[in-house]
């Protein structure tokens, strides 16, 4: 199983632990990730605010390179995945758009290379048994509130799971031996840029997420989007101060959990880089004798 | 040359506003054959028709061309008009210069006038070629078929039976009653639904002229008005109806329990069951999918306990073919499958239910004996939230139309909640409140004032569980702020859609249906209960969302129409049928497989052929069966087969009239 | 006799083209007929054209006059042929003889067909003798001299690589005058035609047919005929026509068009009666008309032996065999 | 060309003498070496006139229309195309199969009579166009068979290379090709009268009163005649090529018929007319799964 | 008379308007056209609707005759397969006109000039759209000379 790998800007900077854990997880699962040479930024939210053709052409160049290599593209970050998928659909659905894009990127792109969310690959393509088999250290003690965010599973054409009630991350965490909780804010927006631009509204949105996760009995949040992790992890302290609440809920990338379960060194996964201390829970999990007899 | 009279209608300003009618009348004077051409404000009005009759006499016209609205609307009117003046009805030809001209070319007046002239020219050319036709008579079988045994079907059957006609009601479910049997109270009078329905059901079952054919479906419909040969599949009940007295022993003894569809899966029924206590016929039927005997071959308790030996596992589906003169379709509606609205959490949260579930909860003979209890934990809910327009008025995910009845039954539900549960709070999310019937507005106001139901104008964006509460998040557009309500129970007022197999039934019978699969009436205003297929009538929600008063009114209307048809032993048929010119026909039989009504077959004729009498095959059209589609005329290479009123010559004349 | 090299023929035609609209026998779209002369035209001199020149004088569709209905009255408008003299070059004796037959029908016996007459008078003909008759030719048997055409304005002789010209009528001498410059005077005598493949002896046929209306041979003869109109439409002497009209709103054009006795509809009467209902009557009528009725009326056969009907008949029904059968019948 | 003439004469003589057949249809020599002509023998001694050579190209099936009311049987020699002509008449109910005794002959392919006229008798004369395209040299139906069958490997499908080549042309080129051809059409109706599929009692072109086609000869009316006849024989044409052979002005009529046959094969499934008499005709029925192009 | 461009351009300047004949089946397309009128959906005034009981009644010969008489485009429209009031009329229409369209294109008629569409009684917007599109297509093609009998 070989994929072209598109890390995207976040995974080379603020979301570095997402990149580290992705590579580790792929190594263990035997997924060969071929990083797209000189990939360019997918344009994320600013791209399609400025110009529609620009927002399609940017990811198209990366997809074109992957297509020349005959590979589908594995994309961890939700925003990059959404942009790339839109480009792929635009090219497949209209010949004129494809021609326009090909003129801009001066390459051929017929839409044969498919944009695939990393979560979709690991949770849906790879059988649960294969994952269980690879689990070295069951995640006893993890009660995760799986947070998909508003971009990963919507709209229907782009998403790979039920837009209202997605289950793929939940199933993955369960096959890693962890527990998940049923809570209402799975797909509610984390505020994206609001916490920085309109802080009171942004913090209110985050507070509601933490509140709902807390009520549901979760002791940590799991996400697949660097923007969401930023907001949930970095701003948890400010929200606690503003609303004088105590959450201290670590926020993981799902690839960190898979790495952890596969027995990879926590620091190799970047688990020590979180704002809300994650190592406490991690050590608890490692201590709990969930160790499996086998290696 | 035929003397043609041309009459251009202004239709008030509908045509006159765009088409220069006097000019068209003037130009028409020069068309070959036209001897009299005049325009008038309203041709279809009394003075307009008088004008035509006078002109026919004074100018001794052979043909009349009326340029006005669509023939689908006033062709019968003008045919009768010319007939009264002594001219053959089929000498009248119409040019549609309203729907096809003035209304659609409003901004291009002169082009529209030019087009009107062309259309009149075509009509004149065709009229000249028209031959006198007489309506033929075909026998009418004095028996009616009602498809669907809900309130509409029952009402139609009763009216037909009281008028002395024999009626068969075919009902898919084991008992008649339809959706109304599930309902508790009816708005706006709040009288109990069963109390007004069951007497009619009893009347229907005991009426000498009505036969109930329940647990059966229409398999095939052949023939035509007055002579519909309908094949009905009587599904195997596994109970011999003639022997069974409905004592109910078998039902009590039957071990296997199944979710009851009638109770909206809120409670159980047995594998051998009657859908509800007041079922008519009150004799059980075995649900073969869930009966252990049919699944594994063991059990058979019901047969053992039945003292009269009425249980018969070997029963097979039975096909009955009967001839009917008229068909009334009243197959009713179903609730819209709103699982597309994941955001309401239906199916995930048991306390999010639909209006019909609520009807069963408040129904005295329902699963909770009338006590409103939450399906999840059986507690009596305090805060009940109603969400209207679920699936209706939503082009993106649901249906584009308004389902008409939800506003009223949601108001009714709100009233009943406040009545039955003290200090309960009722919230209703709505876009608009539509109270278009007698006493409806007053009922709605009473719900708001006396029963202080909270009407919140806004849509609900999400329903999610928090603890054992259901948080309903929406917006209140009047206060323009977000709203969150902790509810104990949420009731969705889902849209009304036709039965899932409506389009299949329509294709079997040969009637039209619209994009939402509601059956298409002949004309929304002028013929709401008729269909384009003569002898087939519509009643109730199968034709569009409707409440009970309208369904009953439509049912009686449909019955009246059917009575009009069945009252005569013969009826006049459209003379527009195919006819064979035997001198040209060579008997090749290419036309025979074309006819969908099997109206053509080959017959042997004998004739003199140069001194010898010879016998040869020629095609023969059965005038009664032929419906005049004309597909056979194209298959006939030598033009021996022609369709009256749309003959090759007539159509060629119309085409030639266009030539430059 | 005045002579010109065949190679030089084009110059002759060019000079004539200044005076007349010249029509020449040529190959076109893998059939051959008389078409207006242009220099890229593929002229045929060694055999007769497949479609006879009769449509120059008696076109397949000939507009007669136009009518326009105005209110209740009607205006008539005559149609005149486009002006200008025509010159028909290379007409064979058999086709010239057919013109002779046409003249009898259209110009004699007290009735002049204006349409035909205008066309006939406006055409000057240069007949051409046949050096080698085609396989299906039998004009001599029909009393036609293949070397000397009847009624031609100029008689041309095929002298191998040269063509000899001899003015017959004064119209013809005018033509010769025009091209005199390009002609040289040479002593040459009229060549004798080659040997005919088809041998048939037609004399006495007309008289014999008088009593043969009910003869059984017509059954045999007509059995294989398909009753199509091919023979009548390529035959230079067939002149049956029908009159019809084309209606366009209030404008009507009356026209004359070829018809064929072979078609059933030709004799279809109002009320459905048809005096010639089956192909037996029609085939008999075709031969009787050519070999009996026409000679009775105009004492000349209505067949000039051009052989086109034999050439084109789908079932090879051969008039010469029919003549033989008539002669042998008792 | 194996000489069956003697066998033919013997068979015909037996049929007539035993009274099995009232008349025998065959070919006899015409006035020219290249012309044979149909002959109707009803006396045993006349069977000497029957011959079998490489010019017996006429399709004799059509003559059965004249024997519809003959009380007694008719013997008829049938090549491959003639036998399909018989099936055509039987399927169109114009011929009662019992009324005809079919004597089958395997056909080696007949010579082109028109070429023979041009090239003279001693040149080697090519095979007629209709025989070059022939796919059924052996009769598909017969009662008696003379000589041996060729069992030639029948080309699977009708050769429509000329049709495909025409289809590649531009609209104006195609129109110019067909109008120049049909401009010279004399409307002599030979193609109609020779066609076994044109077995109407009275053709619409013989009913000018109805107004389908005026008698005037111009390219527009000639095209109406050509297209209408092509549609009328659509799905029933047995590809015998007689229409093209008998056309007095050599119009390539089969180009139209073959186009319709190609389309029928493509649209409604392969169908060869005249192979049997029971199957439903392509235009005599429909299928729910017919290609949908009118949505 | 093969296509002569000169006459075609001459006619275009004389503000030629495309003339399109529409064969509409009474039960569906004619009713659809009525509904287009009822809903006041505007479309170009170049079509002339000829009512036939069923699209199955339309003989391909009418189409050729229309082109002979100088029409620039022909549309044959009927009910969607399965909706035919006579159950199977339009199935035959589909078979006949699948062949006819290809034959007309084969002899050189531009495909846009002869179209077939299924338009039901409820599809007023589709009727408007089909007519508008077809009129534009034919306007760009110019007047039709092919098959036209303009000898008179």
């Amino acid at each position: 199983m070989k994929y072209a790998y598109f890390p995207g800007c976040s995974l080379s900077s603020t979301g570095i632990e997402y990149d580290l854990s992705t590579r580790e997880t792929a190594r263990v699962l035997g997924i060969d990730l071929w990083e797209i040479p000189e990939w360019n930024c997918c344009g994320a939210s600013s791209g399609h605010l400025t110009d529609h053709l620009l927002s399609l052409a940017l990811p198209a160049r990366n997809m074109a390179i992957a297509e020349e290599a005959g590979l589908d593209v594995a994309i961890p970050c939700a925003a990059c995945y959404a942009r790339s998928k839109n480009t792929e659909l635009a090219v497949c659905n209209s010949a004129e758009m494809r021609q326009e894009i090909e003129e801009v990127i001066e390459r051929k792109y017929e839409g044969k290379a498919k944009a695939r969310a990393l979560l979709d690959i690991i949770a849906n393509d790879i059988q649960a048994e294969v994952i269980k088999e690879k689990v070295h250290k069951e995640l006893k003690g993890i009660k995760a509130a799986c947070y998909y965010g508003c971009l990963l599973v919507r709209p229907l054409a782009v998403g790979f799971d039920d837009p209202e009630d997605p289950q793929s991350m939940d199933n993955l965490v369960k096959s890693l031996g962890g527990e998940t909780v049923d809570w209402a804010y799975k797909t509610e927006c984390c505020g994206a840029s609001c916490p920085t631009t309109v802080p009171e509204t942004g913090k209110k949105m985050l507070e509601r997420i933490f509140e709902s996760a807390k009520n549901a009995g979760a002791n940590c949040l799991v996400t697949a989007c660097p923007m969401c992790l930023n907001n949930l992890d970095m701003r948890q302290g400010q929200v606690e101060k503003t609303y004088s609440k105590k959450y201290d809920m670590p926020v993981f990338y799902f690839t960190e959990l898979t790495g952890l379960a596969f027995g990879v060194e926590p620091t190799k996964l970047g688990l020590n880089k979180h704002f809300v201390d994650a190592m406490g829970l991690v050590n608890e999990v490692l201590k709990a004798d969930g160790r499996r007899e086998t290696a | 040359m035929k003397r043609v009279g041309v009459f251009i209608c202004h239709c008030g300003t509908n045509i006159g506003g765009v088409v220069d009618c006097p000019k068209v009348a003037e130009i028409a004077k020069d068309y070959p054959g036209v001897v009299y051409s005049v325009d008038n404000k309203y041709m279809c009005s009394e003075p307009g028709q008088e004008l035509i009759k006078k002109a026919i006499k004074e100018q001794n016209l052979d043909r009349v061309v009326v340029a006005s609205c669509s023939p689908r609307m006033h062709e019968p009117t003008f045919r009768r008009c010319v007939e009264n003046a002594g001219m053959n009805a089929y000498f009248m030809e119409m040019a549609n210069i309203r729907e096809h001209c003035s209304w659609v070319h409003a901004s291009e007046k002169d082009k529209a006038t030019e087009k009107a002239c062309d259309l009149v020219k075509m009509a004149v050319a065709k009229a000249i070629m028209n031959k006198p036709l007489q309506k033929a008579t075909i026998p009418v079988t004095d028996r009616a078929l009602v498809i669907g045994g809900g309130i509409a079907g029952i009402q139609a059957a009763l009216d037909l039976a009281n008028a002395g006609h024999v009626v068969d009601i075919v009902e898919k479910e084991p008992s008649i009653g339809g959706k109304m049997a599930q309902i508790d109270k009816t708005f706006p009078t709040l009288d109990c639904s069963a109390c007004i329905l069951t007497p009619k059901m009893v009347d229907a079952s005991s009426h000498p002229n009505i036969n109930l054919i329940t647990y059966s479906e229409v398999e095939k419909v052949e023939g035509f008005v007055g002579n519909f040969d309908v094949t009905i599949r009587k599904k195997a009940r596994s109970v011999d109806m003639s022997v069974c007295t409905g004592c109910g022993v078998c039902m009590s003894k039957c071990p296997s329990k199944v979710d009851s569809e009638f109770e909206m899966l809120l409670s159980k029924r047995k594998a051998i069951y009657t859908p509800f206590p007041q079922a008519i016929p009150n004799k059980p039927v075995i649900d073969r999918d869930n009966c252990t005997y049919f699944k594994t071959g063991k059990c058979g308790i019901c047969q053992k306990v039945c003292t009269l030996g009425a249980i018969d596992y070997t029963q097979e589906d039975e096909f009955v073919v009967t001839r009917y003169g008229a068909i009334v379709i009243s197959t009713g509606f179903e609730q819209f499958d709103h699982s597309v609205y994941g955001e309401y959490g239906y199916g995930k949260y048991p306390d999010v239910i639909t209006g019909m579930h609520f009807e069963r909860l408040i129904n005295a003979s329902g699963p909770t004996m009338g006590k409103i209890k939450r399906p999840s934990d059986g507690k009596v809910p305090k805060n009940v939230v109603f969400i209207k327009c679920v699936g209706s008025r939503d082009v993106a995910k649901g249906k584009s139309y308004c389902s008409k009845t939800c506003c009223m039954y949601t108001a009714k539900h709100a009233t009943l909640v406040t009545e039955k549960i003290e200090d309960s709070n009722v919230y209703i999310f709505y876009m608009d409140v539509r109270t278009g019937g007698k006493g409806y507005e007053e009922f709605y106001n009473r719900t708001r004032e006396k029963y202080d139901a909270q009407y919140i104008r806004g849509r609900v964006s999400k329903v999610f569980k928090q603890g054992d509460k259901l948080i309903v998040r929406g917006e209140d557009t009047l206060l323009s702020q977000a709203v969150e309500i902790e509810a104990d129970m949420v009731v969705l007022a889902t849209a009304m859609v036709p039965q899932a197999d409506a389009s299949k039934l329509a294709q079997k019978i040969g009637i039209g249906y619209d994009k939402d699969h509601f059956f298409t009436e002949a004309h929304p205003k002028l013929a709401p209960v008729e269909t384009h297929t003569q002898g087939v009538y519509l009643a109730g929600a199968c034709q569009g969302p409707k409440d009970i008063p309208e369904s009953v009114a439509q049912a009686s209307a449909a019955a009246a129409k059917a009575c009009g048809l069945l009252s005569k032993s013969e009826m006049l048929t459209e003379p527009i049928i195919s006819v064979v010119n035997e001198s040209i026909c060579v008997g090749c039989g290419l036309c025979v497989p074309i006819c969908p009504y099997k109206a053509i077959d080959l017959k042997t004729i004998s004739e003199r052929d140069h001194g010898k009498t010879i016998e040869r095959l020629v095609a023969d059209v059965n005038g009664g069966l032929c419906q005049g589609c004309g597909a056979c005329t194209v298959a006939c290479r030598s033009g021996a087969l022609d369709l009256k009123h749309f003959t090759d010559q007539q159509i060629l004349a119309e085409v030639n009239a266009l030539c430059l | 006799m005045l002579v010109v090299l065949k190679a030089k023929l084009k110059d002759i035609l060019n000079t004539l083209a200044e005076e007349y609209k010249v029509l020449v026998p040529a190959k076109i779209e893998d059939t051959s007929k008389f078409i207006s002369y242009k220099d890229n035209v593929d002229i045929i001199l060694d055999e007769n054209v497949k479609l006879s020149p009769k449509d120059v004088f008696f076109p397949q569709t000939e507009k007669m006059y136009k009518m326009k209905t105005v209110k209740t009255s009607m205006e008539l408008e005559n149609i005149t042929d486009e002006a200008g003299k025509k010159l028909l070059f290379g007409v064979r004796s058999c086709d010239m003889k057919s013109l002779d037959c046409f003249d009898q029908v259209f110009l004699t016996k007290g009735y002049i067909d204006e349409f035909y007459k205008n066309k006939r008078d406006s055409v000057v003909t240069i007949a051409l003798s046949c050096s080698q008759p085609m396989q299906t030719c039998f004009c001599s048997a029909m009393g036609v001299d293949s070397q000397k055409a009847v009624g031609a304005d100029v008689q041309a002789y095929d002298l191998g690589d040269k063509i000899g010209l001899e003015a017959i009528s004064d119209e013809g001498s005018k033509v010769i005058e025009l091209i005199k410059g390009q002609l040289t005077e040479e002593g040459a005598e009229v060549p004798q035609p080659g040997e005919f493949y088809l041998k048939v002896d037609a004399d006495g046929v007309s008289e014999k047919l008088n009593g043969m209306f009910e003869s059984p041979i017509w059954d045999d003869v007509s059995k294989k005929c398909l009753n199509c109109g091919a023979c009548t439409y390529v035959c230079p002497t067939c002149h049956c026509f029908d009159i019809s009209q084309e209606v366009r709103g209030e404008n009507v054009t009356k026209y004359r068009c070829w018809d064929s006795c072979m078609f059933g509809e030709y004799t279809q009467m109002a009320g459905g009666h048809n005096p010639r209902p089956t192909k037996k009557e029609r085939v008999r009528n075709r031969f009787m008309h050519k070999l009996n009725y026409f000679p009775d009326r105009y004492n000349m056969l209505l067949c000039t032996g051009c052989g086109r009907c034999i050439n084109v008949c789908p079932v090879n029904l051969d008039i010469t065999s029919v003549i033989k059968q008539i002669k042998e019948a008792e | 060309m194996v000489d069956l003439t003697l066998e033919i004469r013997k068979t015909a003589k037996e049929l007539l003498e035993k009274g099995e057949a009232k008349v025998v249809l065959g070919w006899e020599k015409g006035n020219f070496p290249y012309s044979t002509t149909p002959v109707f023998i009803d006396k045993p001694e006349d069977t000497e006139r029957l011959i079998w050579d490489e010019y017996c190209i006429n399709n004799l099936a059509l003559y059965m229309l004249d024997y519809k009311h003959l009380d007694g049987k008719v013997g008829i020699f049938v090549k491959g195309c003639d036998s399909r002509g018989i099936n055509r008449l039987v399927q169109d109910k114009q011929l009662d199969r019992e009324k005809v005794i079919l004597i089958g002959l395997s056909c080696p392919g007949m010579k082109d009579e028109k070429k023979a006229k041009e090239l003279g008798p001693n040149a080697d004369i090519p095979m007629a166009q209709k025989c070059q395209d022939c796919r059924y040299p052996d009769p598909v139906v017969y009662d008696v068979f003379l000589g041996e069958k060729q069992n030639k490997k029948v080309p699977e499908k009708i050769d429509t290379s000329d049709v495909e080549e025409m289809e590649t042309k531009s609209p104006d080129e195609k129109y110019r090709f067909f109008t120049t051809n049909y401009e010279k059409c004399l409307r002599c109706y030979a193609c109609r009268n020779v066609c076994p599929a044109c077995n109407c009692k009275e053709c619409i072109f013989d009913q000018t009163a109805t107004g389908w086609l005026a008698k005037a000869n111009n390219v527009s009316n000639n095209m109406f005649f050509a297209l209408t006849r092509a549609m009328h024989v659509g799905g029933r044409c047995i590809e015998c090529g007689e229409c093209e052979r008998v056309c007095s002005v050599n119009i390539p009529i089969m180009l139209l018929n073959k186009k319709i046959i190609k389309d029928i094969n493509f649209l409604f499934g392969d169908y060869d007319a005249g192979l049997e008499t029971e199957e439903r005709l392509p235009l005599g029925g429909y299928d729910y799964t017919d290609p949908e192009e009118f949505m | 008379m093969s296509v002569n461009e000169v006459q075609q351009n001459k006619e275009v300047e004389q503000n030629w308007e495309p003339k399109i004949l529409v064969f509409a089946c009474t039960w569906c397309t004619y009713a659809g056209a009525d509904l287009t009128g009822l809903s006041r959906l505007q479309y170009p005034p170049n079509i002339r609707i000829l009512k036939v009981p069923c699209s199955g009644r339309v003989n391909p010969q009418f189409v050729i005759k229309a082109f002979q008489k100088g029409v620039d485009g022909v549309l044959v429209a009927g009910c969607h397969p399965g909706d035919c009031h006579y159950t199977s009329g339009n199935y035959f229409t589909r078979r006949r006109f699948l062949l006819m369209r290809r034959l007309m294109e084969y002899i050189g008629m531009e495909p846009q000039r002869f179209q077939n569409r299924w338009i039901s009684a409820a599809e007023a917007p589709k009727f408007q759209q089909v007519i508008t599109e077809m009129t534009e297509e034919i306007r760009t093609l110019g007047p039709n000379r092919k098959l036209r009998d303009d000898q008179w």
Side-chain angles (χ1 to χ4, degrees), chain B residues 321-333:
Chain B
V321 181
T322 326
R323 174 157 287 199
Y324 295 100
I327 299 176
V328 177
I329 307 175
S330 51
T331 46
F333 72 97

Side-chain angles (χ1 to χ4, degrees), chain A residues 154 164-165 167 182-185 187-188 208 211-212 215, chain B residues 340-344 348-349 397 462 464-466 473 484:
Chain A
R154 287 201 196 106
E164 292 303 336
D165 183 15
Q167 289 299 334
D182 182 11
W183 62 306
Y185 277 71
T187 51
E188 287 310 305
R208 248 194 240 133
E211 203 47 39
S212 172
N215 294 347
Chain B
V340 286
Y341 292 97
E343 55 266 39
Y344 293 154
K348 200 165 144 206
Y349 306 129
K397 281 191 180 174
K462 196 172 182 66
F464 56 92
K465 203 157 176 43
Q466 206 151 44
R473 179 191 291 161
E484 263 185 29

Side-chain angles (χ1 to χ4, degrees), chain C residues 26-53:
Chain C
K27 264 204 174 38
I28 170 162
E29 290 298 332
D30 59 50
T31 179
S32 53
K33 59 184 195 173
F34 278 86
I35 55 172
S36 46
Y37 168 66
K38 293 191 219 56
D39 47 20
N40 59 9
V41 151
D42 173 2
I43 299 178
I44 323 165
L45 291 178
D46 46 14
E47 59 176 27
N48 199 353
V49 279
K50 289 215 172 70
L51 303 178
S52 72

Side-chain angles (χ1 to χ4, degrees), chain B residues 246-261:
Chain B
C247 66
V249 166
C250 56
M251 289 195 285
S252 56
K253 289 289 184 289
C254 172
S256 54
K257 290 195 174 55
V258 183
D259 290 342
S260 158
E261 299 82 4

Side-chain angles (χ1 to χ4, degrees), chain C residues 28-31 33 50-51 60-61 135-136 197-198 220 223-230 233-234 242 244-246 255 257-259 263-266 268 279 310-318 320-321 324, chain D residues 23 28 31-38 40 58 62-63 66-67 113 117-118 121 180-181 184-190 192-194 202 205-209 214-218 245-251:
Chain C
I28 170 162
E29 290 298 332
D30 59 50
T31 179
K33 59 184 195 173
K50 289 215 172 70
L51 303 178
Q60 175 152 21
T61 313
Q135 286 222 322
T136 50
Y197 180 85
L198 268 181
D220 299 340
K223 265 217 169 33
K224 60 179 150 194
C225 168
L226 296 175
N227 250 184
C228 71
Y233 277 4
V234 293
D242 184 11
S244 180
Q245 66 281 332
E246 177 69 27
Y255 63 86
C257 63
W258 290 353
D259 204 340
F263 293 155
E265 201 199 14
Y266 183 64
Q268 182 76 41
K279 60 182 179 183
I310 303 169
N311 217 333
V312 89
C313 176
V315 293
N316 292 330
L317 200 158
D318 188 331
T320 55
S321 323
K324 286 197 191 92
Chain D
V23 64
E28 68 173 339
N31 289 341
F32 305 95
Y34 47 76
S35 74
T36 57
T37 165
F40 305 79
N58 295 90
L62 201 53
Y63 291 115
D66 307 335
Y67 290 100
E113 193 185 337
K117 248 175 245 163
E118 277 156 29
T180 11
N181 264 303
K184 56 182 182 169
C185 163
L186 300 176
R187 295 262 296 286
C188 67
Y189 294 140
R192 176 193 66 183
N193 289 25
V194 81
E202 212 184 295
F205 303 128
D206 294 342
Q207 307 162 24
T208 358
K215 296 185 85 117
N217 181 314
N218 59 43
R245 178 182 74 82
V246 303
C247 175
S248 35
V249 284
N250 302 326
I251 298 175

Side-chain angles (χ1 to χ4, degrees), chain C residues 121-325:
Chain C
D121 296 347
S122 72
V123 176
V124 172
T125 51
I126 301 183
L128 183 62
S129 69
C130 301
S131 51
Q132 171 54 37
M134 297 195 296
Q135 286 222 322
T136 50
C137 288
F138 57 101
C139 58
S140 59
M142 292 295 143
V144 168
D145 173 0
S146 65
Q147 302 312 95
K148 201 89 177 61
V150 154
D153 296 317
V154 172
Q155 178 62 47
Y157 300 100
D158 190 339
L159 308 171
D161 59 353
K162 295 200 189 68
I163 294 181
L165 289 164
E166 185 197 354
I168 311 285
S169 70
D170 43 23
E171 191 61 35
S173 44
K174 260 203 236 115
V175 168
I176 298 296
E177 240 7 84
L178 264 178
I179 53 172
K180 210 164 185 45
Q182 298 161 35
L183 302 177
T184 57
E185 182 56 39
E186 258 181 45
E189 38 2 88
V190 176
Q192 279 317 321
E195 207 257 346
F196 280 92
Y197 180 85
L198 268 181
K199 308 248 176 325
V200 70
D201 160 11
D203 51 16
V205 161
S206 317
E207 296 68 27
K208 183 139 195 233
L209 277 170
N210 280 339
M212 286 181 62
F213 192 74
E214 295 303 339
S215 149
I217 66 159
W218 297 120
D219 274 326
D220 299 340
V221 166
S222 66
K223 265 217 169 33
K224 60 179 150 194
C225 168
L226 296 175
N227 250 184
C228 71
C231 54
T232 58
Y233 277 4
V234 293
C235 168
T237 62
C238 272
H239 49 268
C240 295
F241 61 84
D242 184 11
I243 293 183
S244 180
Q245 66 281 332
E246 177 69 27
V247 178
R248 283 297 164 91
E250 54 272 9
N251 305 321
V252 181
T253 315
K254 212 59 163 168
Y255 63 86
R256 169 161 69 175
C257 63
W258 290 353
D259 204 340
S260 165
C261 57
M262 285 293 154
F263 293 155
E265 201 199 14
Y266 183 64
T267 46
Q268 182 76 41
M269 291 184 181
H273 173 62
N274 191 336
R276 298 205 278 267
T278 71
K279 60 182 179 183
K280 178 184 160 229
E281 292 86 14
R282 294 177 205 145
V283 170
R284 173 178 61 195
N285 172 71
R286 170 170 153 68
F287 291 113
M288 289 291 275
H289 183 201
K290 286 191 173 303
L291 306 172
N292 180 275
Y293 302 149
F294 196 84
D296 276 0
R297 187 167 166 74
Y298 300 107
N299 54 56
M300 65 166 72
L301 287 171
L302 190 61
C303 168
T304 62
C306 72
R308 288 192 179 92
C309 60
I310 303 169
N311 217 333
V312 89
C313 176
V315 293
N316 292 330
L317 200 158
D318 188 331
I319 187 168
T320 55
S321 323
V322 173
I323 293 174
K324 286 197 191 92
Q325 264 180 299

